[in-house]
Amino acid sequence: MLVCAILAIALMFVDLRFTRMETVRAQLSTLVAPVQWVVSLPSDVLNWGALVLSEQSTLVEENRRLREQILTLSHRVQRMASLTAENVRLRELLSASQEHDIPFITAELLSLDPDPFTHRMVIDRGRRDGVFVGQPVMDAAGLVGQVTAVSAYSSRVLLVTDASHALPIQVNRNGLRFVLQGAGRDQGLNVLHVPDTADIREGDLLVTSGLAGRFPPGYPVARVNKVVHDPGEPFARVEADPVAKLQRSRHFLLLFPPEPRSPEGRGGWVASLDPAAVEMARRVAGDAVASAEGEE
């Protein structure tokens, strides 16, 4: 042991004083490398086994959660079948029009806008797929935004969190209608012009109202996370978080909502009247106005 210690000190001294020892050190490292690999092999095997077992346990846990989710969704589907049948009966009783499923196509994220002051992205669907400006974009959780520019093979989407984006929404709990605007932050939305006495509270789900005909009604957009009542101010400050996974989603749905119907008086029920009857009614109205002016 004393000899080994003296030899080690001598080698350290030689290594410090002479540069030729670098070549010797490199050759010794090459020679010792297989020994190091054999020594570390048991540790590497144990680490690999622990990783495999942990991944297996993770897969088992994920499989269990998916089974529970399937059971939950199956229960909801069974309940939904009953509610759907009841809804059909009520619509027939009220002679209301039947709502149909909105067609859609899927899209995938290509890139995000690098500008920190805008919230936009590019998807892999374009004009050849029927995409149009203003088309609603969804993910699995809720509304993501709308298409603002279309090329042949890709499209640019403006996210709901962008400061220039606003849309009409309503509170799912009571139907109150407001305007939701992006705050320019990743998880920031502001509900505009909310009266201080309005019935809106934290946790309320905000859905599309269908006004203006751009977004179909009933799709989730955001959830209220803060309601601040300032004394003396006529409007409350209401903030919300988008329900869509804007920072994590890579696959999206492009909706094709039906064309909005023409309002009455502008191509609606007036268009179905007989032109002769319309002209006669105008003449009668004109004569009545003329006689009233003559009496004055």
Side-chain angles (χ1 to χ4, degrees):
M1 185 175 181
L2 181 60
V3 174
C4 292
I6 295 174
L7 182 60
I9 295 174
L11 290 174
M12 292 171 60
F13 178 79
V14 173
D15 185 43
L16 182 62
R17 293 295 181 178
F18 301 99
T19 57
R20 294 182 179 179
M21 292 299 295
E22 293 182 0
T23 305
V24 177
R25 187 193 311 163
Q27 294 176 355
L28 290 176
S29 299
T30 304
L31 182 63
V32 175
V35 179
Q36 293 176 340
W37 180 79
V38 172
V39 172
S40 62
L41 183 60
S43 177
D44 294 340
V45 171
L46 291 177
N47 293 333
W48 177 80
L51 181 62
V52 170
L53 292 177
S54 63
E55 290 183 351
Q56 183 178 4
S57 61
T58 302
L59 291 175
V60 171
E61 178 64 21
E62 184 178 1
N63 191 18
R64 184 188 62 80
R65 286 189 285 104
L66 290 176
R67 288 180 180 274
E68 292 180 355
Q69 185 176 2
I70 290 175
L71 291 176
T72 303
L73 293 177
S74 298
H75 171 72
R76 291 181 180 179
V77 167
Q78 294 173 6
R79 180 60 178 165
M80 188 66 67
S82 175
L83 294 176
T84 302
E86 183 179 0
N87 188 23
V88 171
R89 291 193 298 268
L90 291 176
R91 285 186 173 276
E92 292 176 352
L93 181 63
L94 297 174
S95 299
S97 60
Q98 182 70 26
E99 294 185 358
H100 300 283
D101 293 336
I102 297 178
F104 62 88
I105 60 174
T106 59
E108 189 172 354
L109 176 67
L110 287 181
S111 64
L112 294 173
D113 198 322
D115 188 350
F117 300 102
T118 60
H119 295 258
R120 304 170 190 268
M121 65 179 182
V122 179
I123 56 178
D124 65 344
R125 295 287 189 171
R127 190 178 299 109
R128 66 186 181 90
D129 302 299
V131 179
F132 57 90
V133 174
Q135 186 170 13
V137 182
M138 308 281 300
D139 70 355
L143 183 68
V144 171
Q146 60 178 305
V147 177
T148 56
V150 181
S151 63
Y153 299 99
S154 63
S155 301
R156 186 174 295 274
V157 177
L158 181 68
L159 304 183
V160 293
T161 52
D162 191 272
S164 63
H165 189 279
L167 74 154
I169 52 91
Q170 68 181 21
V171 181
N172 190 54
R173 178 172 54 86
N174 52 25
L176 290 177
R177 292 187 293 270
F178 302 103
V179 174
L180 187 69
Q181 184 178 20
R185 302 188 305 272
D186 290 339
Q187 295 294 326
L189 296 168
N190 296 325
V191 185
L192 305 181
H193 310 306
V194 179
D196 194 61
T197 57
D199 182 18
I200 186 170
R201 63 187 68 164
E202 294 183 8
D204 278 344
L205 179 64
L206 307 178
V207 300
T208 53
S209 65
L211 299 179
R214 177 63 60 87
F215 301 97
Y219 283 91
V221 182
R223 192 172 294 276
V224 177
N225 64 7
K226 181 185 295 186
V227 179
V228 179
H229 298 278
D230 295 329
E233 294 293 333
F235 298 106
R237 181 161 55 90
V238 181
E239 299 179 1
D241 292 329
V243 295
K245 311 300 182 184
L246 302 180
Q247 301 300 315
R248 288 179 287 177
S249 295
R250 295 188 60 88
H251 297 87
F252 305 95
L253 302 177
L254 298 175
L255 304 183
F256 291 88
E259 292 291 335
R261 292 178 297 179
S262 300
E264 294 183 358
R266 296 183 180 179
W269 60 270
V270 173
S272 62
L273 297 178
D274 186 3
V278 174
E279 183 64 24
M280 181 62 68
R282 289 176 178 173
R283 290 181 180 178
V284 172
D287 295 340
V289 172
S291 61
E293 291 177 350
E295 291 178 358
E296 292 179 357

